[in-house]
Amino acid sequence: AEVAMIELFQDWCMNFITLFLFFSFLILFLVAYLVVFHILFVLFVWTYWKSVFTLPIQPGKKFHMSYADQERYESEERPEVQRQILAEIARKLPVYTRTGNGGIRFCDRCQLIKPDRCHHCSVCAMCVLKMDHHLQIISISNLFPSLVLCCFPFQGELTNARSKFHILFLLFVAIMFFVSLMFLFGYHCWLVSRNRSTLEAFSAPVFQNGPDKNGFNLGFVKNLQQVFGEEKKLWLLPISSWLLLQCPSVPFPCSQGDGHFFPMRTLSEARNPLLANEEQWEEDGIDEEPQGKELVKLLVLIYSSQ
């Protein structure tokens, strides 16, 4: 009898320890889940708030035409002379992109010379620095079905057929939004990795030597640093890089570019089409012999000397 009591007591202790460990791990998992969920939720609300209430930035005053230059430009009727006037004004500005016919990019509505990657938004009626495209912000009420769907598992089992239909409908809407947003997220990740905007993906920026879709492509790592900043620990925080540039006392580095000028590829690559073609061959995966590369570089030197 004593042996049986001891075995029973041992079994009870083992069961108690097992249940204690199970519930301990369960509580730790729930706590970790809630912590991660609330951190992501705070980041979501923060980024959504910033995207809604951050106003687009216009070009600086130095890109606006003076009253005298504006009168001289408007009084001239010959297009070639107008192009010369714009070229004289833009000579002191960090402007490297051109129009399709090789002229200076000028906005007739805002009366300013467009900085690189700047475009006029017809909806906002203004020129926007590094404009991607105009997008009406989706109302946060569209996220309500997903939030309701997340709350229903804690309400117990649903016995009403009508309620089950509502849950199925909300599940379908949530999946539809998830799939569409994942495609949009993946496309913009690809744009960031190539350092392109949506407008530049559809229409390549034009430089002095012609269109070049990779004109601002500095490589995968540098492209990410130009958008998110050089400090990788702050990439997930929606901190305005433009504001950081105005505060030199900030102890950590910010992203590259100030909205008016952006780092580009080396000057030799931007001016010599042969080097651009060589880079394109490397992107397309065409292997070349070392002698072929040396021949290309020799041709580039001959082309530059001419």
Side-chain angles (χ1 to χ4, degrees), residues 54-121:
T54 300
L55 298 177
I57 302 178
Q58 293 180 284
K61 294 182 179 179
K62 64 179 181 179
F63 290 89
H64 289 74
M65 294 182 64
S66 63
Y67 182 75
D69 293 334
Q70 186 176 350
E71 279 192 345
R72 186 160 62 102
Y73 177 80
E74 293 179 351
S75 61
E76 184 59 53
E77 298 180 356
R78 292 172 294 180
E80 60 275 6
V81 180
Q82 289 182 342
R83 291 180 59 180
Q84 292 179 1
I85 295 175
L86 293 178
E88 292 177 1
I89 299 173
R91 190 171 300 170
K92 299 180 180 180
L93 298 175
V95 176
Y96 299 96
T97 54
R98 298 291 185 265
T99 59
N101 57 3
I104 300 297
R105 300 171 62 244
F106 177 72
C107 181
D108 294 327
R109 300 178 182 178
C110 300
Q111 292 295 311
L112 57 84
I113 295 177
K114 297 180 182 179
D116 294 341
R117 317 185 80 173
C118 174
H119 298 276
H120 184 87
C121 180

Side-chain angles (χ1 to χ4, degrees), residues 5-241:
M5 290 293 295
I6 292 174
E7 292 180 353
L8 182 63
F9 179 75
Q10 290 178 349
D11 293 338
W12 182 84
C13 290
M14 292 297 297
N15 293 332
F16 177 78
I17 294 174
T18 303
L19 291 176
F20 176 78
L21 293 176
F22 172 77
F23 282 106
S24 298
F25 283 114
L26 180 63
I27 292 174
L28 290 176
F29 173 78
L30 292 177
V31 171
Y33 174 81
L34 291 176
V35 170
V36 173
F37 172 81
H38 284 88
I39 291 176
L40 295 178
F41 182 75
V42 170
L43 290 175
F44 162 75
V45 174
W46 188 1
T47 53
Y48 184 83
W49 182 275
K50 293 279 290 185
S51 63
V52 172
F53 293 99
T54 300
L55 298 177
I57 302 178
Q58 293 180 284
K61 294 182 179 179
K62 64 179 181 179
F63 290 89
H64 289 74
M65 294 182 64
S66 63
Y67 182 75
D69 293 334
Q70 186 176 350
E71 279 192 345
R72 186 160 62 102
Y73 177 80
E74 293 179 351
S75 61
E76 184 59 53
E77 298 180 356
R78 292 172 294 180
E80 60 275 6
V81 180
Q82 289 182 342
R83 291 180 59 180
Q84 292 179 1
I85 295 175
L86 293 178
E88 292 177 1
I89 299 173
R91 190 171 300 170
K92 299 180 180 180
L93 298 175
V95 176
Y96 299 96
T97 54
R98 298 291 185 265
T99 59
N101 57 3
I104 300 297
R105 300 171 62 244
F106 177 72
C107 181
D108 294 327
R109 300 178 182 178
C110 300
Q111 292 295 311
L112 57 84
I113 295 177
K114 297 180 182 179
D116 294 341
R117 317 185 80 173
C118 174
H119 298 276
H120 184 87
C121 180
S122 59
V123 180
C124 300
M126 58 182 291
C127 286
V128 181
L129 294 176
K130 197 184 180 182
M131 179 179 174
D132 187 87
H133 68 289
H134 184 90
L135 176 64
Q136 297 289 348
I137 300 299
I138 301 175
S139 174
I140 197 170
S141 60
N142 293 328
L143 302 174
F144 183 73
S146 301
L147 298 178
V148 174
L149 184 64
C150 295
C151 297
F152 263 105
F154 300 98
Q155 303 300 323
E157 184 179 359
L158 296 175
T159 57
N160 191 356
R162 188 178 229 179
S163 300
K164 292 182 179 179
F165 173 77
H166 291 166
I167 292 298
L168 184 62
F169 175 75
L170 291 176
L171 177 63
F172 174 76
V173 173
I175 293 176
M176 183 175 61
F177 271 96
F178 174 78
V179 173
S180 60
L181 290 177
M182 284 303 296
F183 275 108
L184 188 63
F185 175 74
Y187 175 67
H188 280 83
C189 287
W190 178 81
L191 289 177
V192 171
S193 66
R194 295 295 188 273
N195 203 349
R196 302 175 193 169
S197 62
T198 303
L199 295 176
E200 293 170 352
F202 287 95
S203 179
V206 181
F207 297 89
Q208 294 181 358
N209 62 318
D212 186 5
K213 62 180 180 180
N214 294 316
F216 298 102
N217 190 354
L218 306 177
F220 180 76
V221 177
K222 292 184 178 180
N223 291 340
L224 294 180
Q225 290 178 349
Q226 187 177 126
V227 176
F228 297 106
E230 298 180 359
E231 186 61 42
K232 297 181 180 179
K233 298 178 181 179
L234 304 175
W235 279 8
L236 296 179
L237 299 179
I239 299 176
S240 177
S241 301

